[in-house]
Amino acid sequence: MEKQKIEFFEPDIESSVSIELSGEVHAGFPSPAQDYTEGSIDLNKELVRHPASTFYARVVGNSMIDEGIDQGDILVVDKSLDPQNGDMAVCYVDNEFALKFIDKRDDKIFLVSGNKNYPDIEILPGSDFVVWGVVTYTIKKRNRRV
């Protein structure tokens, strides 16, 4: 398994992280009839459903680049969710953290990377393995096009 470091942070739920909204943004043809709306959104309330069991993590490494997850992206990880097949999760395997997809095949569990250069990892009996939390959101910095 490739070495991967994941930095963890607790959300400060007591604070309000509000940003002003100036209306909806359509990714297609804009409607001239669209009303201008005002309001705000609290990012803590929007991104964190279970405050006592939610953490932020910063991605280090490139094991998920084919899925659009880049080094430096921030993950919102909920430890209270029951991991399902296909979930992106932070896993703890043999004393290391890894960001992978959960893939249940027959009676076996595989951890699947989002980078075609990394092989699947089969969780063997006796492995020190736990799904630490399920990724619910990814926050990424967009680079400006020049």
Side-chain angles (χ1 to χ4, degrees):
M1 182 169 59
E2 80 279 2
K3 297 282 185 184
Q4 185 171 28
K5 178 183 174 190
I6 299 176
E7 302 171 328
F8 295 100
F9 306 91
E10 289 186 37
D12 180 3
I13 302 302
E14 299 301 317
S15 69
S16 176
V17 182
S18 295
I19 54 175
E20 295 299 317
L21 296 178
S22 60
E24 295 177 340
V25 177
H26 295 272
F29 184 74
S31 169
Q34 178 67 38
D35 292 335
Y36 178 82
T37 59
E38 290 187 19
S40 65
I41 184 170
D42 184 330
L43 292 178
N44 279 327
K45 290 179 183 170
E46 183 71 24
L47 301 178
V48 179
R49 295 290 177 231
H50 305 107
S53 60
T54 299
F55 292 84
Y56 297 118
R58 186 180 315 275
V59 175
V60 178
N62 64 356
S63 71
M64 298 300 272
I65 60 171
D66 294 342
E67 295 295 325
I69 310 292
D70 298 308
Q71 181 158 312
D73 288 353
I74 296 174
L75 309 171
V76 180
V77 183
D78 191 334
K79 292 180 69 169
S80 72
L81 298 177
D82 183 31
Q84 304 295 314
N85 196 40
D87 280 348
M88 182 183 296
V90 174
C91 302
Y92 188 74
V93 185
D94 296 329
N95 299 316
E96 293 184 25
F97 283 102
L99 176 63
K100 303 289 180 196
F101 289 106
I102 305 295
D103 186 8
K104 298 177 185 176
R105 303 178 206 160
D106 301 319
D107 290 335
K108 297 179 180 181
I109 298 175
F110 292 87
L111 301 181
V112 178
S113 178
N115 182 332
K116 62 183 178 244
N117 295 317
Y118 293 107
D120 295 351
I121 300 166
E122 181 179 357
I123 302 302
L124 300 172
S127 294
D128 183 15
F129 169 72
V130 66
V131 175
W132 194 81
V134 174
V135 176
T136 56
Y137 287 92
T138 307
I139 303 168
K140 72 182 309 85
K141 179 181 178 182
R142 301 303 310 178
N143 292 322
R144 295 181 71 185
R145 296 177 79 185
V146 258

